[in-house]
Amino acid sequence: QLLNCQINKSEKLPNIIIIFTDDQGYADLSCYGAKGFKTPNIDRMADEGMLFTDFYSAYSVCSPSRASLLTGCYAQRVGLPEVLAPPGPEWTKGRTNIGLNENETTIAEMLKPIGYSTACFGKWHLGHLPSFLPTRHGFDEYLGLPYSNDMIPDDYPPLPLLDGESVIEHNPDQSKLTTLYTEQALQFIQKNKDNPFFLYVPHSMPHVPLAVSDRFKGKSDQGMYGDVIMEIDWSVGEILKKLKDLNLDKNSLVIFASDNGPWLEYGNHAGSAVPLREGKFTTFEGGQRVPCIMRWPGKIPAGTTCPELVSTIDFLPTIAVITGAKLPALEIDGKNIQPLIEGFPDAKSPHDVFYFYSGNELQGIRNGKWKLFFPHTYQTPLEIGNDGKQGKMGSKELPLTLYDLEKDIEETTNVAEQHPGIVENLSKIAKAFDAQLKKNIRPPGRVEL
């Protein structure tokens, strides 16, 4: 099977496109059951490719989830387990001068030596100082925001829109961002139609504050959140159309996924993870199980569903296999899922277990249908906001808890007392991994200010 995984050297190297949304919940596509809006272009990706039901972002917040996607590692391993920020409120202290270490290898840096052109258009959030920007981590081109679109005055410096490493505008009109990123992506595809490329489009939306162009304003029955998702769906459609027009679609792997679950505190300006529990900031299913669709005509079987556990950390090693690129020299956590996405008979998840971290705290472990939580405090909405107004978050305690996700996807019934052997076994595995990982944490990049 390993031999079958290797790319035929006589074939043209495949193009890789990753579209990564921000705070989009598990139920926020019509092919996942969305209410009040339609996503026909992303649904078409599912009709022509593979929809994943048990796909996890490696973290439930922005910076760690992006570090994991681009490096194939749990974010602890690369020293970025927390959200980064420019100078601002008290919580940003210690997070303003760090970013992705130059010694880490991103997908872009992995692909450059074998001839790929690379670009990132959108939200970066792996360090805003020049030495941490995409152009220092393997991307030929970058245009976008260096961090979240809510990090704006009065609490933060003016929000910069960057072209490469230069600020081209402060506090840009956010209703134009999705269109801007899309136009940049289309130009990049056109320019690189004759050579392999890696295109990473991490949208700023639907992170609050929501903003949408006039052409989609008021178009959904759900309200502004639905309008924003409809515009992202349009963006996906434009990228797919450009690939087809240039006769590139059969040689292009397109991945659509979200960085974490919905920011439920924002009510009608947040998405939905129904039927999953909780959302962003938590290691419950609603925080990390997110929509993911992959399309590659002729390689990925059309109209298929994958129920196997897969994660963003698997993108890098899988892309290495399908392109023939050399894996990073430093240890990674992701696994090759090429047998799964290409529909090999009896292909299974390469993960015996998957770990759930919040900051530096190991909070849980999943093995097959079992998900074990260790006692921890988690954030949950106490009051729900409306129309862009923030609600109020509070803390709750979770004891040692075991869930059977096959019977209880909502994570409501603790069955730890009925299965002490499973609790003991998973506890040992998790604690051994956590100890080993923390012995081998690599430092983030750091700039002395």
Side-chain angles (χ1 to χ4, degrees), residues 192-238:
N192 291 283
K193 65 184 190 311
D194 295 324
N195 54 274
F197 60 81
F198 169 48
L199 172 60
Y200 175 46
V201 186
H203 281 288
S204 293
M205 299 292 149
H207 194 291
V208 293
L210 298 180
V212 68
S213 67
D214 289 341
R215 88 178 95 174
F216 287 97
K217 195 173 291 182
K219 293 295 185 184
S220 87
D221 295 332
Q222 196 269 359
M224 193 167 184
Y225 187 88
D227 299 347
V228 168
I229 300 297
M230 289 178 68
E231 183 162 35
I232 290 172
D233 181 74
W234 162 82
S235 174
V236 172
E238 291 297 294

Side-chain angles (χ1 to χ4, degrees), residues 222-257:
Q222 196 269 359
M224 193 167 184
Y225 187 88
D227 299 347
V228 168
I229 300 297
M230 289 178 68
E231 183 162 35
I232 290 172
D233 181 74
W234 162 82
S235 174
V236 172
E238 291 297 294
I239 290 172
L240 295 179
K241 181 177 182 296
K242 174 62 76 171
L243 293 175
K244 189 165 185 64
D245 289 348
L246 296 175
N247 198 30
L248 298 175
D249 59 336
K250 291 185 178 178
N251 196 44
S252 299
L253 168 61
V254 183
I255 301 173
F256 180 94

Side-chain angles (χ1 to χ4, degrees), residues 261-388:
W263 200 343
L264 298 174
E265 179 185 5
Y266 277 91
N268 65 349
H269 276 208
S272 170
V274 172
L276 308 179
R277 181 174 177 178
E278 295 291 341
K280 180 176 180 173
F281 305 115
T282 79
T283 49
F284 290 109
E285 295 294 285
Q288 289 184 233
R289 194 191 292 211
V290 293
C292 179
I293 297 168
M294 300 189 193
R295 175 188 183 269
W296 188 2
K299 293 284 190 179
I300 295 177
T304 50
T305 298
C306 180
E308 296 292 320
L309 192 157
V310 173
S311 173
T312 45
I313 57 177
D314 301 325
F315 290 172
L316 182 147
T318 305
I319 291 168
V321 167
I322 66 177
T323 62
K326 185 179 178 181
L327 282 170
L330 298 175
E331 182 178 3
I332 65 171
D333 299 293
K335 310 288 186 183
N336 171 31
I337 58 166
Q338 189 258 6
L340 276 177
I341 67 175
E342 293 198 17
F344 286 17
D346 302 319
K348 298 294 182 185
S349 171
H351 296 280
D352 291 330
V353 291
F354 184 80
Y355 302 96
F356 296 86
Y357 278 91
S358 178
N360 279 310
E361 181 185 26
L362 176 63
Q363 293 188 345
I365 176 175
R366 178 173 172 181
N367 168 240
K369 69 178 184 176
W370 300 111
K371 185 175 179 183
L372 177 68
F373 276 120
F374 303 109
H376 68 271
T377 302
Y378 66 94
Q379 294 187 56
T380 189
L382 299 181
E383 298 175 10
I384 301 297
N386 195 54
D387 294 339

